[in-house]
């Protein structure tokens, strides 16, 4: 199929000219579709940030469309012998490109991610999902886009000579080129000097990879490395994302109950250690009070305490630390004139307490000696403090650390494996922790405060002995139930002893105290990722995680997601599921909780 009446050179020349104008009008179309990214991204607060947004919008889509033309269509100009066939191929390619761009804008609007093979697979995996249905509806516009592209193809072919005579091609080409180069040069400067209104726009557009040149600038004397490192340290906190916590001011329309509150964290205590043989005193206390037997920490490391008090995933911890925001439950207790007593067997050596959870508050320093265990001395110091309190309600926190170094309590025998030695050591230290808790319960009875004090026994995280067969020991290695499930036992005056088997989380405690103790009537979604502990409705997932990733734990599997949308899926025994995908609602909810409390204007 060869066109008659034209030489090969004439035909190629005209197709090249047509292709340039066809690409130009598709650049305009892509820019118009790209305004959806701008509408869904935070608006830059500075004039330079706004200027960068404009030039990157023009330059990026100009480069993206023209690069695709040069890589795909331009070579075909010399290969396809028929101009009609070539134009049909170009129309099909442009239709597919604009459709994918529309789908990407919808994905960005919905889950704040651009299309990747993984995101594509997840988005269209669940056909019953409303979002998946909305995305599939975008394919309906494909015939319309095809007809418009077909019409554009014919119009450009007929008007090609007139368009060339108007001499507008070169000015627009220069505009796209200058915008593209300018946007990258501006970003190079912004990246080197930590200019957040520009660097925050790094991922606004699809396939956007702004240029950085710190090594080049350093080599040519444009950037001092030592000064850069100093600025990096100084600006890490300044550039942290702002957190709106709470999302709305709290409302107090429920009846408050000014009871004292004592929270005891037995660090490293896994849920199944709370049994009749290992911890008889604490087990009896649990049977006589409120025992949540299916409870999860919000983290597999010390940041479980962050979730316990803030009610937020640990991913928010760096920004919370930078802002200096106290937990809402602590701030509300302060506003209600509660007195505070904070005690730790290692005098709060973990900076999490001083930098975030109890920031700006006075710790009760304990002059520890070698005669008694640190935990017993801590309980004694608390008891003396509690005796000195008057009629004002108080809040107290006790950190017990006996289980932190459990391997020190048992020496290996010749016939004992390392695993058995660790388990035996852990059992013995759990028994010791139980003796210490028994001493605490005795002090509570002796002080006569049992009827006026909420007593909460829990832990920051659990401990694994390689039950998942992934060479995982201790904590902070995975999100299995062995590292996350911890006790949650509550003595609450006026409430009948009960065992609760529904799934609960550390993120739920602050909601419970705010609602049932302090009279908050606001929707928990405004200040927490959890809900009331006594809400027994089935929940689809439990949240856990650290500063880098989030784990969503359902009845049948665990999905671990990072901030970039990458995920791993595990079954109920924490075995990796490589050939399966999480359901879209689970993935979307995880990504939403990682971003929901960040200020939109940042």
């Amino acid at each position: 199929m060869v066109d008659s009446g034209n030489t090969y050179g004439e035909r190629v020349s005209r197709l090249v000219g047509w292709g340039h104008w066809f690409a130009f009008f598709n650049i305009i179309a892509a820019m118009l579709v790209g305004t959806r990214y701008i509408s869904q991204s935070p608006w830059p607060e500075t004039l330079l940030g706004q200027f960068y947004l404009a030039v990157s919008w023009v330059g990026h889509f100009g480069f993206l469309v023209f690069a695709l033309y040069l890589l795909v269509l331009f070579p075909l100009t010399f290969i396809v012998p028929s101009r009609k066939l070539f134009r049909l191929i170009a129309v099909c390619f442009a239709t597919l490109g604009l459709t994918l761009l529309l789908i990407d804008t919808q994905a960005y609007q919905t889950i704040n991610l651009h299309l990747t093979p993984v995101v594509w697979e997840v988005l269209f995996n669940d056909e019953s999902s409303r979002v998946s249905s909305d995305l599939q509806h975008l394919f309906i516009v494909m015939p319309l886009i095809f007809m418009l592209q077909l019409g554009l193809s014919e119009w450009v072919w007929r008007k090609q000579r007139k368009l060339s005579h108007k001499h507008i091609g070169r000015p627009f080409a220069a505009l796209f080129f200058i915008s593209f180069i300018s946007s990258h040069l501006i970003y190079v400067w912004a990246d080197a000097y930590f200019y957040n209104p520009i660097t925050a726009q790094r991922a606004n557009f699809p396939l956007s990879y702004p240029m950085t040149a710190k090594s080049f600038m350093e080599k040519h004397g444009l950037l001092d490395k030592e000064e850069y490192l100093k600025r990096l340290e100084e600006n890490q906190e300044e550039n942290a994302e702002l957190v709106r916590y709470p999302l709305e001011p709290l409302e107090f329309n429920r009846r408050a109950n000014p009871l004292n509150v004592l929270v005891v964290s037995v660090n490293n205590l896994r849920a199944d250690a709370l049994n009749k043989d290992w911890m008889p005193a604490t087990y009896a206390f649990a049977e006589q009070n409120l025992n949540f037997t299916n409870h999860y920490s919000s983290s597999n490391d010390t940041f479980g305490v962050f979730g316990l008090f803030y009610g937020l995933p640990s991913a928010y911890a760096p920004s919370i630390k930078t802002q200096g925001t106290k937990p809402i439950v602590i701030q509300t207790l302060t506003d209600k004139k509660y007195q505070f007593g904070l005690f730790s067997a290692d005098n709060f050596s973990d900076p999490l307490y001083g930098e975030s959870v109890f920031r700006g508050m006075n710790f009760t320093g304990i002059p520890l000696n070698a005669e008694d265990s640190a935990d017993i001395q801590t309980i004694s110091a608390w008891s003396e403090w509690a005796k000195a309190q008057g009629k004002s309600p108080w809040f107290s926190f006790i950190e017990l650390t006996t289980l932190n170094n459990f391997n020190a309590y048992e020496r290996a025998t010749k016939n004992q494996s390392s695993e058995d030695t660790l388990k035996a050591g852990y059992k013995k230290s759990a028994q010791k922790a139980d003796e210490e808790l028994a001493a605490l319960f005795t002090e509570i009875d002796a002080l006569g405060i049992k009827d006026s004090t909420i007593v909460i026994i829990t832990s920051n995280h659990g401990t694994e002995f390689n039950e998942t067969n992934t060479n995982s020991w201790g904590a902070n290695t995975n999100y299995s139930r062995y590292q996350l499930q911890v006790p949650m036992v509550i003595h609450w005056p006026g409430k009948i002893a009960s065992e609760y088997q529904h799934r609960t989380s550390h993120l739920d405690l602050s909601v419970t105290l705010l609602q049932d103790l302090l009279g908050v009537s606001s929707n928990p979604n405004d200040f927490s990722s959890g809900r009331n502990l006594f809400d027994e409705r089935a929940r689809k997932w439990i949240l856990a995680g650290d500063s880098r990733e989030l784990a969503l734990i359902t009845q049948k599997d665990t999905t671990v997601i990072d901030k970039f949308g990458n995920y791993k899926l595990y079954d109920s025994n924490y075995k990796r599921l490589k050939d399966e995908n999480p359901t879209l609602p689970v993935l979307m909810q995880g990504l939403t909780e990682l971003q929901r409390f960040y200020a939109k204007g940042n």
Side-chain angles (χ1 to χ4, degrees):
M1 182 179 178
V2 179
D3 295 323
S4 60
N6 289 325
T7 65
Y8 175 79
E10 291 173 342
R11 186 169 61 253
V12 168
S13 177
R14 189 170 183 192
L15 284 177
V16 168
W18 174 88
H20 283 74
W21 283 109
F22 185 73
F24 167 75
F25 286 108
N26 273 283
I27 288 174
I28 303 301
M31 288 174 59
L32 292 174
V33 175
T35 57
R36 296 190 75 190
Y37 298 111
I38 297 175
S39 66
Q40 293 300 318
S41 302
W43 183 253
E45 297 180 355
T46 66
L47 186 61
L48 183 56
Q50 295 164 12
F51 175 76
Y52 172 80
L53 177 61
V55 295
S56 63
W57 171 60
V58 174
H60 180 71
F61 286 104
F63 172 80
L64 185 63
V65 175
F66 194 69
L68 289 173
Y69 163 75
L70 287 179
L71 291 172
V72 179
L73 296 181
F74 183 71
L76 293 178
T77 308
F78 302 93
I79 299 173
V80 178
S82 168
R83 62 190 181 192
K84 291 184 178 179
L85 178 58
F86 172 78
R87 286 164 53 195
L88 179 62
I89 293 173
V91 165
C92 292
F93 182 73
T95 300
L96 178 62
L98 283 180
T99 303
L100 289 176
L101 187 61
L102 277 171
I103 294 173
D104 188 80
T105 61
Q106 189 70 17
Y108 185 78
Q109 179 178 346
T110 305
I111 60 175
N112 203 34
L113 289 174
H114 293 295
L115 283 182
T116 64
V118 171
V119 172
W120 177 279
E121 190 174 0
V122 171
L123 288 176
F124 293 99
N125 184 50
D126 188 355
E127 295 182 357
S128 62
S129 165
R130 181 185 63 82
V131 175
S132 179
S133 177
D134 289 344
L135 286 167
Q136 291 174 10
H137 286 161
L138 290 177
F139 286 109
I140 297 175
V141 305
M142 280 191 74
L144 176 61
I145 295 175
F146 178 79
M147 295 302 295
L148 291 173
Q149 290 286 350
L150 204 60
L152 175 64
S153 167
E154 184 63 26
W155 183 82
V156 170
W157 185 261
R158 294 179 182 275
K159 301 293 184 181
Q160 183 178 346
R161 295 184 187 276
K162 288 186 177 181
L163 290 170
S164 298
H165 290 156
K166 291 182 180 294
H167 303 292
I168 59 174
R170 289 184 180 180
F172 274 107
L175 173 65
F176 293 136
F177 178 77
I178 292 172
S179 296
F180 178 74
I181 296 299
S182 298
S183 65
H184 282 272
L185 292 178
I186 292 172
Y187 192 90
V188 165
W189 170 83
D191 180 63
Y193 290 91
F194 307 101
Y195 192 69
N196 196 52
I198 290 176
T199 57
Q201 301 180 47
R202 178 182 180 89
N204 279 10
F205 301 129
L207 301 176
S208 176
Y209 304 101
M211 182 172 63
T212 59
K214 290 187 284 288
S215 298
F216 175 85
M217 295 174 71
E218 180 186 350
K219 182 178 179 181
H220 291 81
L222 300 174
L223 181 67
D224 183 273
K225 186 175 181 180
E226 292 185 3
E227 184 182 349
Y228 169 80
L229 294 174
K230 183 179 179 181
R231 285 201 307 269
L232 175 62
E233 186 176 349
E234 292 174 351
N235 284 274
Q236 274 180 335
E237 293 191 353
E238 292 181 12
N239 289 336
E241 294 182 271
L242 298 178
V243 175
R244 287 180 57 209
Y245 172 73
L247 295 174
E248 301 290 342
L250 295 186
E251 296 180 359
F252 296 83
N253 294 319
R254 299 174 60 160
R255 189 179 70 175
N257 189 9
L259 297 169
N260 305 320
V261 181
L262 170 61
V263 179
V264 182
S265 175
V266 186
N267 290 354
N268 227 21
L269 180 62
R270 54 189 274 168
D272 58 5
L274 183 53
N275 59 65
K276 188 182 297 185
D277 295 330
W278 290 21
M279 305 183 73
T282 313
Y283 182 82
F285 182 81
E287 283 195 318
Q288 297 163 9
N289 292 285
L290 311 172
N291 188 11
F292 297 85
T293 58
N294 198 7
H295 186 82
Y296 287 77
S297 174
S298 57
S299 183
N300 59 3
D301 57 16
T302 58
F303 278 83
V305 177
F306 177 88
L308 188 71
F309 286 100
Y310 281 95
L312 299 177
S314 302
Y316 291 101
S319 295
I320 287 287
K321 172 188 170 184
T322 299
Q323 292 176 221
T325 307
K326 288 184 180 179
I328 290 173
V329 65
I330 297 296
Q331 186 60 56
T332 306
L333 288 166
T334 303
D335 296 341
K336 298 284 187 180
K337 308 302 182 185
Y338 271 67
Q339 304 299 313
F340 287 87
L342 308 175
F343 302 83
S344 170
D346 63 7
N347 285 313
F348 294 109
S349 63
D350 194 308
L352 171 66
Y353 294 100
E355 294 176 352
S356 297
V357 179
F358 301 131
R359 183 168 182 161
M361 305 177 73
N362 294 323
F363 297 153
T364 305
I366 303 171
L368 299 173
N369 57 63
E371 296 179 3
D372 263 321
S373 77
D375 285 358
I376 287 294
Q377 294 176 67
T378 301
I379 292 170
S380 297
W382 170 82
S383 178
E384 292 300 317
W385 174 85
K387 287 177 184 176
Q389 301 310 302
K391 294 184 178 180
S392 297
W394 50 260
F395 171 91
S396 189
F397 177 81
I398 301 177
E399 181 186 31
L400 303 181
T401 61
T402 290
L403 280 162
N404 283 2
N405 300 306
F406 59 85
N407 58 319
Y409 287 98
E410 191 77 21
R411 295 185 179 275
T413 63
K414 291 183 179 180
N415 298 324
Q416 195 174 43
S417 67
S418 297
E419 180 178 346
D420 290 337
T421 301
L422 284 173
K423 288 183 177 179
Y426 187 82
K427 176 181 178 180
K428 191 162 186 178
S429 60
Q431 292 171 334
K432 186 174 182 64
D434 185 63
E435 294 172 3
E436 294 162 349
L437 287 171
L440 175 64
F441 301 147
T442 300
E443 289 292 334
I444 291 172
D445 290 336
L447 290 169
I449 59 174
K450 194 171 184 178
D451 294 335
S452 60
T453 304
I454 298 171
V455 181
I456 301 165
I457 309 295
T458 189
S459 180
N460 53 358
H461 57 77
T463 302
E464 182 180 355
F465 297 100
N466 199 31
E467 285 92 345
T468 59
N469 295 315
T470 56
N471 199 30
S472 295
W473 305 86
N476 198 24
T477 54
N478 64 47
Y479 297 101
S480 66
R481 64 180 182 273
Y482 308 104
Q483 297 190 34
L484 290 179
Q485 278 196 276
V486 296
M488 175 57 74
V489 178
I490 302 178
H491 165 73
W492 196 304
K495 291 187 182 290
I496 300 174
S498 302
E499 180 179 299
Y500 294 93
Q501 298 180 356
H502 66 285
R503 294 194 303 163
T504 55
S505 164
H506 266 16
L507 304 178
D508 302 338
L509 179 65
S510 61
V511 174
T512 307
L513 292 177
L514 285 166
Q515 288 186 332
D516 296 0
L517 174 71
L518 300 171
V520 171
S521 57
S522 301
N523 188 327
N525 286 334
D526 288 343
F527 56 86
S528 175
S529 294
R531 67 189 195 188
N532 198 299
L533 282 167
F534 300 105
D535 185 346
E536 298 187 56
R537 291 176 299 168
R539 60 204 307 171
K540 295 181 179 179
W541 36 257
I542 290 287
L543 287 175
D546 58 21
S547 61
R548 304 177 306 276
E549 55 192 9
L550 184 72
L552 291 102
I553 303 143
T554 69
Q555 294 282 14
K556 65 176 184 177
D557 55 39
T558 297
T559 305
V560 181
I561 316 165
D562 65 22
K563 288 186 176 182
F564 304 102
N566 303 311
Y567 70 86
K568 294 179 181 178
L569 190 64
Y570 302 86
D571 66 14
S572 57
N573 294 316
Y574 215 75
K575 305 298 180 186
R576 179 75 183 277
L577 300 173
K578 295 185 178 180
D579 299 326
E580 297 184 28
N581 295 321
T583 59
L584 180 62
V586 171
L587 180 63
M588 287 185 59
Q589 187 61 53
L591 295 172
T592 298
E593 288 302 324
L594 283 177
Q595 302 170 29
R596 191 163 63 89
F597 286 91
Y598 285 122
K600 299 298 182 183
N602 186 46

